[in-house]
Amino acid sequence: MKNYTSKDYYKILGVPVDAKPEEIKKAFRLATVKYHPDVNKNGEKIFMEIKEAYEVLIDENERRNYDFVKGYDLLKKQNFQKNKKSSKAEQKQNYHYENEYKKTQSDVSEEQTKTAKDNNSAATEKKEKTFNETLKDIVGDLFSQNKNSAKSDYDETEKKDGEDITMPIEISFKEAINGTNRKINVLHTEICPVCQGKKFVNGGHCKYCKGTGEVSLHKKLNVKIPPHTENNKKIRLKNEGTKGLKGGKNGHLYLIVKITDDSFFRFEGNNVCCETEITPYEAALGCEKDIKTLSGTAKLKIPQGTSSGQKFRLAQEGLFDETTKTKGDQIVTIKIKVAENLSEQEKKLYEELRKLADKK
């Protein structure tokens, strides 16, 4: 199953999420002209991403599954309710694609004409196809190679365990501390119940799965994020991966927690980091500050002669680790702040301090 969460196929092709099939084909043709390895020796990696995006978006079922997982199905409904007609921005983008494509066709045709005049051998004449013919071959054959050469995964008689799925999930700082419940969309791929994964029924392609041997099922899951969840924590949802075959075990779904930074706190593993400001005289003479923590506040004793950038540790004021049953620490970085508008008396006192320092 494709990892739909890792890439934005609409962004790769440069089309809006509600683009029509003809817009997607037009964008693909333009991208092929620019990045196909036969035209651009350095464009192979980019072209493979473009090809992957096109394969998903041009297929009605694949695109529906992709939109569901990425949440674009809801966005399309909202856009449709706001305005049923294409926006001016989209019309301008389509106009840009058309002009760019025509310009590129013209450039390639001129180059082919020049090559034909300079070379008279039979091998050269064979390469003198118009660009439209070459592009037609690419578009027509590009996506049939894997389908024609690959054998069905379900031809195996032995049992096969399902694959694990990994998905990122973002939570806020507050949710990481207090815990939360989230609803997520999961796309399951299972063996076709009609053709049993063989892709053919009565000598023809299975109509239920359209000859793919598998069907996609949408599922919504409720996920509980426990309190004091650390950044990059992996949460396992048992048996929610792809389904096993021939009696094999189902895979698991793993959620990788990403905590968005708070305006005050940052996360480094189980440790919580923050900054606090003190005045120059507090740094010189020492002081005691109330520091905001995950559980409330804590007293931090700052010694005499503290420098800006110096770090202090509040033990066990970080996140709780379920595995080790220990808590991280809170790391406080000191920033010395000088008042912008000093009174005349403050200026005189600073002058006295400077004179005393110069005498040492």
Side-chain angles (χ1 to χ4, degrees):
M1 186 183 72
K2 291 184 174 63
N3 185 5
Y4 286 143
T5 62
S6 63
K7 295 180 181 179
D8 190 333
Y9 292 139
Y10 291 105
K11 186 176 180 181
I12 290 173
L13 276 182
V15 296
V17 295
D18 55 354
K20 296 179 180 179
E22 51 266 30
E23 295 178 86
I24 294 173
K25 290 179 180 179
K26 185 179 293 185
F28 175 68
R29 286 197 298 268
L30 177 61
T32 302
V33 169
K34 291 183 178 180
Y35 297 111
H36 192 275
D38 289 346
V39 179
N40 186 341
K41 295 182 179 179
N42 299 321
E44 182 175 0
K45 184 176 180 181
I46 299 176
F47 179 75
M48 293 306 295
E49 289 191 350
I50 293 169
K51 172 179 175 290
E52 179 182 339
Y54 179 80
E55 286 179 319
V56 172
L57 298 185
I58 203 62
D59 185 283
E60 184 178 352
N61 291 331
E62 288 274 12
R63 186 178 181 183
R64 187 184 300 111
N65 294 336
Y66 174 73
D67 288 344
F68 176 81
V69 173
K70 297 286 285 186
Y72 288 139
D73 54 339
L74 298 178
L75 179 62
K76 289 180 180 179
K77 289 179 181 179
Q78 294 172 358
N79 290 342
F80 182 78
Q81 292 172 354
K82 289 181 180 179
N83 190 354
K84 293 183 180 180
K85 295 182 179 181
S86 298
S87 67
K88 292 183 179 180
E90 291 169 353
Q91 294 174 1
K92 183 177 180 181
Q93 186 181 49
N94 291 339
Y95 178 77
H96 170 74
Y97 282 139
E98 186 173 356
N99 285 347
E100 284 294 312
Y101 178 55
K102 289 179 179 178
K103 180 180 178 182
T104 308
Q105 281 186 310
S106 176
D107 292 343
V108 175
S109 297
E110 291 178 5
E111 182 65 25
Q112 289 177 329
T113 303
K114 181 180 179 181
T115 303
K117 291 180 179 180
D118 295 338
N119 301 280
N120 297 317
S121 66
T124 303
E125 291 178 359
K126 188 176 180 180
K127 296 179 181 178
E128 290 175 354
K129 298 167 91 176
T130 64
F131 185 79
N132 283 335
E133 291 173 340
T134 305
L135 183 59
K136 183 178 180 181
D137 292 340
I138 294 172
V139 176
D141 298 335
L142 203 54
F143 311 115
S144 61
Q145 295 175 359
N146 291 335
K147 294 181 180 179
N148 293 333
S149 61
K151 293 183 179 180
S152 172
D153 292 335
Y154 305 118
D155 291 341
E156 302 177 2
T157 56
E158 68 272 13
K159 68 179 181 180
K160 182 179 180 181
D161 292 339
E163 296 181 356
D164 294 334
I165 303 173
T166 302
M167 290 177 57
I169 181 170
E170 277 195 355
I171 62 174
S172 66
F173 163 78
K174 186 177 180 180
E175 289 173 327
I177 302 304
N178 301 323
T180 186
N181 291 308
R182 286 291 187 86
K183 287 185 177 180
I184 61 172
N185 296 329
V186 179
L187 180 65
H188 283 267
T189 302
E190 299 183 0
I191 185 173
C192 175
V194 177
C195 68
Q196 296 298 314
K198 296 179 180 179
K199 302 183 180 182
F200 294 92
V201 176
N202 297 327
H205 284 291
C206 175
K207 294 182 179 180
Y208 188 79
C209 65
K210 295 185 178 180
T212 62
E214 56 187 25
V215 292
S216 298
L217 302 177
H218 299 119
K219 190 173 183 181
K220 292 183 180 290
L221 298 176
N222 289 318
V223 181
K224 183 178 181 180
I225 309 294
H228 294 281
T229 296
E230 65 268 23
N231 198 32
N232 293 319
K233 179 180 176 64
K234 183 182 289 187
I235 298 176
R236 187 182 75 163
L237 301 181
K238 191 176 180 180
N239 297 327
E240 293 296 347
T242 58
K243 190 174 182 179
L245 304 176
K246 308 293 184 180
K249 297 179 180 179
N250 290 354
H252 306 308
L253 172 62
Y254 290 94
L255 300 178
I256 309 299
V257 177
K258 300 294 182 182
I259 303 175
T260 56
D261 285 340
D262 183 74
S263 58
F264 183 73
F265 293 109
R266 292 183 298 101
F267 294 92
E268 291 182 2
N270 290 339
N271 291 335
V272 178
C273 304
C274 67
E275 294 181 352
T276 190
E277 294 180 346
I278 62 174
T279 62
Y281 65 84
E282 287 177 324
L285 303 176
C287 64
E288 196 172 67
K289 302 285 287 186
D290 287 327
I291 305 298
K292 178 182 174 182
T293 65
L294 301 181
S295 57
T297 59
K299 294 286 185 181
L300 175 63
K301 186 175 182 180
I302 299 174
Q304 295 180 7
T306 295
S307 303
S308 185
Q310 195 167 340
K311 298 180 185 295
F312 295 92
R313 185 182 300 270
L314 295 173
Q316 296 188 355
E317 289 292 347
L319 296 172
F320 183 76
D321 189 334
E322 288 286 349
T323 304
T324 61
K325 303 299 180 183
T326 58
K327 291 186 71 174
D329 302 326
Q330 182 166 335
I331 311 300
V332 182
T333 302
I334 301 299
K335 295 293 182 182
I336 299 177
K337 183 175 177 60
V338 179
E340 295 180 0
N341 299 316
L342 297 174
S343 65
E344 290 300 322
Q345 185 177 2
E346 287 174 325
K347 290 180 180 178
K348 289 180 181 180
L349 289 174
Y350 274 115
E351 286 291 344
E352 290 294 329
L353 287 174
R354 183 164 62 181
K355 289 178 182 179
L356 290 173
D358 290 341
K359 291 179 180 180
K360 289 182 179 180

